[in-house]
Amino acid sequence: MNVTRFLFAGAALVALLLAPPMTLADADERQIVLAGGCFWCMQPPYDRLDGVIRTEVGFAGGDVENPSYEEVIRGGTGHYEVVRVTYDPEQVTYDELLEVFWRNVDPLDDGGQFCDRGDHYRAAIFVDSDEQRAAAEASRDALENSGRFDDPVVTEILDGATFYKAEEYHQDYYKKNPLRYRFYRASCGRDTRLSELWGRGPSRDLLTTAA
């Protein structure tokens, strides 16, 4: 081995030794993108769920690259407000994440969610594979056939789309601005409508209680 190759091999070994260890979550983390109206309200139920690594709010499903919040809410970009949930499938399943989703949206509303009206506030599940689509459709069909609702379930299941992260002040809004968040959530009638749809009880409280 010549000197150059020796030094290169030594540098590579040092870099390997200094690299942070790969965890199970790093090796096998997965993501799900969901639209449930105001994206501020979709982070709390997932942040509290065991197996969720992180949540981020942003936009998906539109035609404009890297849109701003102002562009999306003005309309015309085609985007939905979404939450991207990164999770460890060894701790929480895709089906469990869907169950949390359903209990935090109004699946009968195709014009927005709660007090927020407009296409960008519609509820939707974005899927990235045939397996995800099958699971999402089965979950929706099970809800449709459960007899819980008289009206049809209209929540969309859409092909995966590029996720654009929203501005930093929107991330973890419920933690940064707890009083404003609580006021908005209450004044929008979100929890009142969720109670009408899903009832009260321990399971509902776990899934929807705001910070």
Side-chain angles (χ1 to χ4, degrees):
M1 178 182 294
N2 60 37
V3 174
T4 301
R5 292 180 62 188
F6 177 78
L7 292 176
F8 179 81
L13 178 60
V14 170
L16 180 62
L17 292 174
L18 293 178
M22 180 175 288
T23 64
L24 175 61
D26 294 328
D28 197 26
E29 64 182 37
R30 299 180 188 175
Q31 294 179 330
I32 183 172
V33 175
L34 303 161
C38 174
F39 51 21
W40 296 343
C41 299
M42 293 301 289
Q43 278 192 289
Y46 287 105
D47 283 344
R48 296 179 177 204
L49 197 64
D50 289 342
V52 169
I53 299 166
R54 62 183 172 276
T55 63
E56 303 159 287
V57 297
F59 316 104
D63 303 318
V64 177
E65 292 187 6
N66 198 29
S68 68
Y69 176 72
E70 287 74 19
E71 288 175 319
V72 172
I73 63 173
R74 280 200 302 266
T77 70
H79 290 89
Y80 295 67
E81 287 195 16
V82 299
V83 60
R84 180 169 67 177
V85 180
T86 301
Y87 66 100
D88 179 355
E90 294 293 325
Q91 298 184 59
V92 63
T93 68
Y94 185 81
D95 287 341
E96 289 172 329
L97 296 173
L98 290 178
E99 177 66 15
V100 173
F101 168 76
W102 289 120
R103 290 182 175 271
N104 280 277
V105 301
D106 180 348
L108 313 181
D109 188 349
D110 62 0
Q113 287 287 287
F114 313 104
C115 71
D116 294 315
R117 315 313 300 164
D119 289 349
H120 55 290
Y121 286 123
R122 288 178 296 172
I125 302 167
F126 288 86
V127 296
D128 288 327
S129 66
D130 291 341
E131 180 183 13
Q132 284 191 356
R133 176 171 288 279
E137 290 178 349
S139 178
R140 181 193 59 192
D141 293 347
L143 181 59
E144 180 75 69
N145 297 327
S146 68
R148 175 181 285 273
F149 307 122
D150 294 329
D151 296 323
V153 173
V154 295
T155 300
E156 299 171 290
I157 298 174
L158 305 173
D159 289 336
T162 301
F163 171 84
Y164 296 103
K165 190 173 179 179
E167 295 86 345
E168 188 58 34
Y169 73 91
H170 288 296
Q171 308 299 325
D172 297 320
Y173 187 89
Y174 74 100
K175 295 178 181 178
K176 297 173 180 175
N177 302 279
L179 294 180
R180 290 182 180 179
Y181 171 75
R182 287 175 184 273
F183 175 79
Y184 160 75
R185 188 178 178 108
S187 63
C188 196
R190 192 176 188 107
D191 289 324
T192 299
R193 178 57 174 162
L194 290 175
S195 293
E196 293 173 356
L197 291 165
W198 303 105
R200 297 183 181 276
S203 61
R204 179 194 169 273
D205 292 342
L206 171 65
L207 301 181
T208 63
T209 299

